[in-house]
Amino acid sequence: MAHPLARIIDQLKREPSRTGSIVITVFGDAIVPRGGSVWLGTLLAFFETIDIDSGVVRTAMSRLAADGWLERHKVGRNSFYRLVKKGRQTFDAATRHIYDPQPSDWTGRFELLLIGKTEARDAAREALKNAGFGTPLPGVWVAPSGVPIPEEAASAIRLEVSAEDDSGRRLLSESWPLDRTADAYLKFMKTFEPLRGWIGRGERLSDLDAFTARILLIHHYRRVVLRDPLLPTALLPADWPGRAARQLCGEIYRGLLPASEQWLDRHASNEKGPLPAAGGELARRFGG
């Protein structure tokens, strides 16, 4: 039987290059819980397992630093990187969206933001999308009431609306591409279901394979879930695949976590030496 990780890597190779996005996944998922800084050589060792050339990785790191996501610190000839404030704030919000239990209570009301000036809309667009807001019209953003509003949209006019009638439900259908999101969840599950079966049968994964699988799992999952507004169950179709996708992701993640952390213990370092141990928040991921 073919190793499921090999098929996942082959699929990754057929997609447009996403090296920078994978770098951010590595930092948010594995490095931030262990102090936030890592040696470039650690990253290169990981990317070698998915056949991404060191030159491509170095170029991606330089671009992320130039765009304000990472900062570099040199010790002798060795380079170390960490997420800067912009990157930390963005991934802190993303971390809650990816790993925390989905909210079960809902007031029946929605937050409506109105942003008039085009330049203000442009500045807030990505932050609002990542916070789970949808947009039915230019300058109009909507999310379930209680969703935190990002700093980039702090100047927006805020209203609350009900979604109990047909007009409210039409607002939802025009604010989020739920059909596309459902299709993306189904594709994610098709890609990773063989890996769950492999782990469930007790097949052996090396520590490095476990770390690689963990990063690719979260890389694929976050590309879907960060575009999912995590709407209340009452507003979703009965066969909504987001719930099954989260269960699959959490089960695989917990299965990979011990061996993947062991690889970091043995092979990952920062300016001071081996990375510090992760805090308790790592064990709580995908709980509830």
Side-chain angles (χ1 to χ4, degrees), residues 72 105 191:
R72 185 179 73 161
D105 55 338
T191 299

Side-chain angles (χ1 to χ4, degrees), residues 67-79:
D67 290 343
W69 285 91
L70 300 174
E71 63 180 5
R72 185 179 73 161
H73 173 56
K74 293 205 73 172
V75 179
R77 300 182 65 180
N78 294 324
S79 294

